[in-house]
Amino acid sequence: MTDSDILGLHRILPMAFERQDMTALWADRAARVAADAGDAAAMMDLSMILQAHARTDEALAMMAEALKIRRNYRVVHGDGSGIRLLAFVTPGDFMANTPVDCLLNGSDAVLWLHYVDAETPDLDDLPEHDVALLAIGEATAHRPVLVRMAALLPGLPTPVLNADPHKIASLTRDGVSAMFADETALLVPRTHHVGRAALAAVAAGTVTLEATVAGLSFPIIIRPLGTHAGGGLDRADDSSELATYLGSYPDDAFFLAPFVDYRGADRLFGKQRIVLIGGKPYPSHLALSDHWIVHYFGSGMAENPAKRAIEAAWMANFDTDFAARHADAFAALNRHIGLDYFGIDCAELPDGRLLVFEVDVAMIVHDLDDVATFPYKKPAMQRLFDAFVAVAQARVAALANAA
């Protein structure tokens, strides 16, 4: 163990998920910091514990203190004899960066987390590694750091996965919808960036929505810029509901898109999370809900054996069924996105197209679900994790063969 070693998400998240008592772990790390104010690794563990308990502001403050001391942190998987992967990450919560630590579950990899920001002067202090990954997710606040990484990454001698920061930065909601406007195999509803003043006029009835945004009419979905995981997402069926929404959110601008009713024949809304690794799609989860905003943990999957049976069959037959049916859609996604690793949230439309809600590199992907309730989950997720490690290893081998 070195002074860079931290527990990592793959150890702390299961403890939180299983509601384990972390009092002793917290006391140990707090005692380390009390004995040595420079113990940044202990601070980072404390930050992750705080995040796992939804104390985000405190967690980020603790992380900031740790990063004043050091920028590199090591997480050892298994016996540590495997590939050495360095992830470029930026300060933030669990959804700020690709969940690399979780993707390495079941391996013997050594993960180095190297924190960067818009002011990072160079990449001269990197630990030894075999391959790197630009793991910073698309977000308004991340644009300056992605711009900075675009200037720094070209000089790196080791191979880099997701090496183009501009491609990650392009994964905005309106950017993705414009990117796929002419594709017929999938639907990304046209998303519009609209200022508050224009929406207030629509809400007041002084101007129509159609006159404000050409081609858009009620019902619509609306959310503040830069939100993920359903943050601030709602539906407005008329100007009165739009006025109510604006009264709840003080933001200066919003994303608007047409509401698409994607219920299946069973009258349930089904949303799939799929990860594309090296161009191949892998299933992460499928959730079924009565409500059009589908969150896995709020959809009753754990309480409903029939829903779980549908998800289990979807995962088991994914390659020959879902992926085969939507091969053209996945080809289009790879063609336009052009990244080694990214995730999508999507649904199947009655007309056979794939409805894509979101594309990002930082979607949460895990194998934390209870094995007794979800026995099919861990094998499927391990295939996904193994594929990620295999792509990283292949990139290292390709560089060695070219030398």
Side-chain angles (χ1 to χ4, degrees):
M1 183 172 178
T2 72
D3 56 4
S4 301
D5 285 3
I6 60 174
L7 289 173
L9 286 182
H10 81 288
R11 294 189 181 97
I12 290 178
L13 277 184
M15 296 175 68
F17 207 80
E18 296 166 9
R19 300 182 184 277
Q20 295 181 22
D21 185 355
M22 297 192 201
T23 304
L25 177 60
W26 175 272
D28 176 81
R29 296 308 190 265
R32 281 174 49 180
V33 175
D36 178 5
D39 191 339
M43 293 180 196
M44 193 61 75
D45 281 343
L46 290 172
S47 174
M48 291 188 180
I49 294 170
L50 287 166
Q51 284 199 56
H53 288 84
R55 295 165 62 177
T56 305
D57 290 343
E58 296 169 84
L60 295 182
M62 181 69 73
M63 179 182 291
E65 291 302 310
L67 294 177
K68 290 177 183 177
I69 300 169
R70 67 165 55 249
R71 290 273 167 170
N72 292 313
Y73 297 88
R74 189 177 76 158
V75 183
V76 177
H77 285 255
D79 63 13
S81 63
I83 193 169
R84 298 171 301 174
L85 190 149
L86 182 142
F88 293 106
V89 294
T90 200
D93 62 21
F94 290 156
M95 293 185 290
N97 304 287
T98 305
V100 193
D101 197 9
C102 295
L103 296 175
L104 296 176
N105 269 357
S107 76
D108 291 314
V110 172
L111 170 64
W112 280 99
L113 299 172
H114 182 78
Y115 282 85
V116 295
D117 55 35
E119 307 302 321
T120 297
D122 54 54
L123 300 178
D124 294 341
D125 59 340
L126 301 181
E128 291 188 7
H129 60 282
D130 304 307
V131 61
L133 167 73
L134 181 58
I136 301 166
E138 185 282 318
T140 302
H142 293 172
R143 289 176 190 169
V145 65
L146 288 171
V147 169
R148 184 62 188 144
M149 292 306 292
L152 295 177
L153 282 179
L156 205 65
T158 50
V160 182
L161 301 172
N162 282 5
D164 190 341
H166 299 299
K167 290 181 178 178
I168 296 175
S170 72
L171 300 180
T172 60
R173 295 185 186 276
D174 52 346
V176 171
S177 73
M179 197 182 297
F180 292 94
D182 297 326
E183 292 291 344
T184 59
L186 49 78
L187 172 65
V188 184
R190 182 69 186 274
T191 302
H192 308 269
H193 181 166
V194 186
R196 184 180 192 86
L199 290 177
V202 175
T206 58
V207 66
T208 65
L209 179 61
E210 293 87 341
T212 303
V213 183
L216 187 64
S217 59
F218 291 109
I220 59 170
I221 58 172
I222 182 171
R223 70 195 311 156
L225 303 186
T227 60
H228 294 276
L233 177 63
D234 209 339
R235 172 178 168 175
D237 289 345
D238 52 37
S239 58
S240 175
E241 291 186 0
L242 177 59
T244 300
Y245 179 89
L246 292 176
S248 302
Y249 294 92
D251 302 67
D252 294 329
F254 301 84
F255 281 135
L256 272 66
F259 172 76
V260 177
D261 188 342
Y262 60 98
R263 281 175 293 186
D266 56 6
R267 308 309 293 162
L268 294 175
F269 294 95
K271 187 181 79 170
Q272 295 97 346
R273 177 160 295 178
I274 297 167
V275 175
L276 286 92
I277 305 173
K280 179 177 169 57
Y282 293 86
S284 176
H285 68 236
L286 181 156
L288 296 162
S289 174
D290 295 318
H291 195 277
W292 66 273
I293 300 179
V294 183
H295 293 298
Y296 195 87
F297 296 120
S299 61
M301 297 295 292
E303 296 77 24
N304 191 313
K307 288 183 178 180
R308 295 198 303 276
I310 292 172
E311 182 184 36
W314 176 73
M315 289 185 135
N317 302 313
F318 183 82
D319 287 346
T320 57
D321 184 22
F322 190 95
R325 285 202 312 279
H326 297 290
D328 289 344
F330 290 126
L333 284 160
N334 281 310
R335 186 168 60 250
H336 286 281
I337 304 300
L339 292 168
D340 301 291
Y341 175 96
F342 64 94
I344 65 169
D345 280 344
C346 63
E348 283 189 283
L349 289 170
D351 65 8
R353 288 179 297 170
L354 200 64
L355 173 64
V356 177
F357 302 113
E358 183 177 2
V359 181
D360 197 11
V361 301
M363 291 180 174
I364 297 297
V365 177
H366 65 81
D367 64 348
L368 300 176
D369 298 286
D370 178 65
V371 175
T373 306
F374 300 90
Y376 54 89
K377 277 292 196 65
K378 281 194 181 294
M381 295 309 298
Q382 193 59 57
R383 286 193 293 273
L384 188 159
F385 300 156
D386 291 345
F388 176 76
V389 173
V391 166
Q393 291 172 329
R395 190 61 59 87
V396 175
L399 181 67
N401 292 335

